Amino acid sequence: QVQLVESGGGLVQAGDSLRLSCVASGRTFSSYVMGWFRQAPGKEREFVAAVNRNGGNTYYTDSVKGRFTISRDNAKNTVYLQMNSLKPEDTAVYHCAADRQIIQSSYFRDTSYGFWGQGTQVTVSS
């Protein structure tokens, strides 16, 4: 089992940057696929980005491609989400998620992940 704790959210202006971090407990972090999801008020949770176990492959939803970068440091049990050129529509609670048994075609599905952090609020003002 793994516990996830996110940090790094905040209130920024459009065009600014933020870096979210998610620290995982345990000694098997490198065996987990890691994902970032977000949920805005009144909307369903949506996939943002995912990274495979060794960090060699990353995946993004179209709306963040070219602006967001997901990465991981397995030595630090941490996954990051670097968010640049933020837009008001990026405003949401951002959650990291983890699971060991996900196939690549299911990285974007929130139901594929068994472990979730509590979330960190990102608010982008116009």
Side-chain angles (χ1 to χ4, degrees):
Q1 205 160 11
V2 64
Q3 293 183 327
L4 306 173
V5 179
E6 303 98 332
S7 62
L11 172 62
V12 297
Q13 293 186 330
D16 285 350
S17 298
L18 279 176
R19 188 176 80 156
L20 306 183
S21 299
C22 173
V23 179
S25 64
R27 295 178 288 180
T28 58
F29 178 71
S30 61
S31 67
Y32 288 84
V33 171
M34 300 298 298
W36 284 98
F37 290 76
R38 65 187 180 187
Q39 188 166 19
K43 294 187 177 181
E44 293 187 353
R45 186 163 55 190
E46 67 168 343
F47 170 76
V48 176
V51 60
N52 70 344
R53 294 167 182 82
N54 65 12
N57 292 298
T58 57
Y59 308 85
Y60 301 93
T61 192
D62 286 346
S63 63
V64 309
K65 284 180 181 177
R67 299 189 298 123
F68 291 12
T69 303
I70 188 171
S71 62
R72 66 189 297 164
D73 185 339
N74 286 344
K76 295 183 178 179
N77 280 18
T78 303
V79 62
Y80 304 97
L81 186 67
Q82 177 67 43
M83 305 186 295
N84 298 331
S85 302
L86 282 161
K87 303 175 181 180
E89 51 264 44
D90 294 319
T91 295
V93 176
Y94 283 71
H95 297 267
C96 70
D99 208 281
R100 284 179 168 176
Q101 298 180 356
I102 308 177
I103 59 175
Q104 181 178 328
S105 61
S106 296
Y107 282 5
F108 69 97
R109 298 182 191 276
D110 59 353
T111 53
S112 298
Y113 296 82
F115 302 98
W116 291 83
Q118 82 289 347
T120 186
Q121 176 71 48
V122 172
T123 303
V124 185
S125 63
S126 57

